């Protein structure tokens, strides 16, 4: 069976060793089979955090490492109308509602409630305030120019989708529990669509058969499977790899400037030695 993988960074900073490991992991899976494909996608839909200079640096770093990709780079900010169409489809099925709440509104609301559950990604589970608004109230607030996000009505979506699972490479079938996230935002106030929507849309569109990414994104897979079923998109296999840690045992992050690929290169490290470190960090030797 043919394999298509992708590396899908957000250009919000310079790549570090953890990214090199993630790209290497995806690249190896594709190059291990005769007609495997490795794609590069720039997930730059957040205009407040993404910078063209970082996008350019990503292409440069990957080329330097020799992790060359197949076909054109997909740049998400060039395809906003496609994400809008996907949102329109979900809205037409009654699965989205406009949410006018600010972060302060949500904090106030949960402060008044006995429980304030957190989603697996650390965010507060939305208490559902705007789900209860009447169509007339929604219309009035939109007409008045209030800004809104689009949230998925999780309960309605789960009724539609039924029981969900995903397949983890080498581990078999695992049950999903997207309900833990509550009514997730799929269309943002400050960006045309959310990560969850765009990533699943593009994996389907680009024919990605094996989604590889860090274990930190493992919980998000539950939401992604739900969206795939709701939208009728194919189900890829998943491979979540371990995260690279720094000397203190903390996850490498974009804020750790010393570990950027760029700084390693400038310090005279070779691409081969960076790949060897990345590989060792993945436990792949
Ligand atoms: N763009 C996401 C990030 O940089 C990763 C997307 C994915 O691999 O699913 O964290």
């Amino acid at each position: 069976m043919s394999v298509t993988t992708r590396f899908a960074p957000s250009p919000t900073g310079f790549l570090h060793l953890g990214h090199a490991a993630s790209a290497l992991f995806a690249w190896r899976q594709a190059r291990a089979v005769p007609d495997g494909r490795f794609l590069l996608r720039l997930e730059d839909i957040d205009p407040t955090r993404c910078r063209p200079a970082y996008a350019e640096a990503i292409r440069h770093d990957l080329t330097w490492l020799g992790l060359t990709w197949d076909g054109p780079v997909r740049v998400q900010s060039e395809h906003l109308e496609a994400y809008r169409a996907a949102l329109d489809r979900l809205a037409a099925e009654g699965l989205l509602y406009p949410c006018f709440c600010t972060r302060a509104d949500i904090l106030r609301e949960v402060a008044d409630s006995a429980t304030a559950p957190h989603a697996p990604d650390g965010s507060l589970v939305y208490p559902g305030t705007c789900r209860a608004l009447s169509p007339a109230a929604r219309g009035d607030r939109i007409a008045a120019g209030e800004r809104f996000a689009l949230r998925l009505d999780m309960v309605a979506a789960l009724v539609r989708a039924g029981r969900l699972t995903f397949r983890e490479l080498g581990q078999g079938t695992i049950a999903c529990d997207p309900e833990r996230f509550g009514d997730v935002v799929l269309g943002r106030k400050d960006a045309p669509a959310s990560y969850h929507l765009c990533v699943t849309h593009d994996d389907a569109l680009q024919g990605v058969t094996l989604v590889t990414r860090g274990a930190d994104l493992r919980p998000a897979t539950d939401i992604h499977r739900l969206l795939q079923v709701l939208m009728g998109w194919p189900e890829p296999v998943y491979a979540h790899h371990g995260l690279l840690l720094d000397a203190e045992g903390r996850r490498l992050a974009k804020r750790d400037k010393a570990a950027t690929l760029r700084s390693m290169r400038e310090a005279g490290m070779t691409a081969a030695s960076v790949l060897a470190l990345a590989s060792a960090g993945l436990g792949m030797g």
Side-chain angles (χ1 to χ4, degrees), residues 29-243:
Q29 294 285 346
R31 298 292 176 247
V33 290
D35 54 354
R37 301 181 73 228
F38 169 68
L39 310 179
L40 173 61
R41 182 164 75 226
L42 297 173
E43 303 209 323
D44 63 343
I45 38 157
D46 184 341
T48 60
R49 295 177 60 227
C50 297
R51 301 271 178 276
Y54 294 135
E56 199 42 53
I58 288 170
R59 294 171 195 250
H60 185 76
D61 285 342
L62 291 179
T63 305
W64 176 66
L65 288 172
L67 301 179
T68 47
W69 56 90
D70 300 306
V73 178
R74 182 167 172 93
V75 180
Q76 286 192 328
S77 60
E78 294 171 1
H79 301 282
L80 301 184
E81 70 297 337
Y83 310 127
R84 166 57 51 193
L87 285 173
D88 286 348
R89 262 184 65 195
L90 290 170
E93 294 190 30
L95 296 174
L96 301 183
Y97 63 87
C99 172
F100 304 92
C101 293
T102 60
R103 195 171 152 67
D105 293 334
I106 297 173
L107 285 172
R108 204 173 317 115
E109 185 82 19
V110 298
D112 292 344
S113 69
T115 55
H118 283 78
D121 60 4
S123 62
L124 275 173
V125 172
Y126 180 61
T129 326
C130 288
R131 197 190 322 116
L133 290 176
S134 68
R138 284 175 185 160
D140 287 349
R141 292 178 73 166
I142 293 172
E146 261 193 74
R147 296 176 71 219
F148 58 94
L150 290 170
R151 289 188 180 271
L152 181 69
D153 183 333
M154 183 58 79
V155 171
L158 287 173
V159 167
R160 186 77 53 89
R163 215 174 74 84
L164 296 163
T165 58
F166 74 96
R167 282 173 296 147
E168 177 78 16
L169 192 68
Q171 287 181 29
T173 303
I174 299 175
C176 293
D177 184 14
E179 205 168 353
R180 294 175 298 162
F181 285 88
D183 292 353
V184 285
V185 169
L186 294 186
R188 292 171 38 166
K189 278 185 183 171
D190 58 348
S194 78
Y195 156 66
H196 299 304
L197 184 89
C198 301
V199 82
T200 44
H201 174 280
D202 285 357
D203 284 340
L205 181 84
Q206 295 187 283
V208 173
T209 61
L210 177 64
V211 172
T212 66
R213 57 188 176 202
D216 53 332
L217 287 172
R218 152 67 195 90
T221 299
D222 293 5
I223 301 172
H224 300 176
R225 285 292 301 123
L226 174 59
L227 292 177
Q228 286 157 1
V229 170
L230 293 175
M231 297 298 293
W233 289 330
E235 177 184 358
V237 175
Y238 288 84
H240 296 98
H241 60 75
L243 300 174

Side-chain angles (χ1 to χ4, degrees), residues 256-278:
D256 301 326
K257 297 215 168 26
T260 65
L261 302 180
R262 186 188 154 91
S263 59
M264 291 175 162
R265 184 167 58 242
E266 282 165 8
M269 283 181 76
T270 63
S273 58
V274 171
L275 286 175
L277 274 181

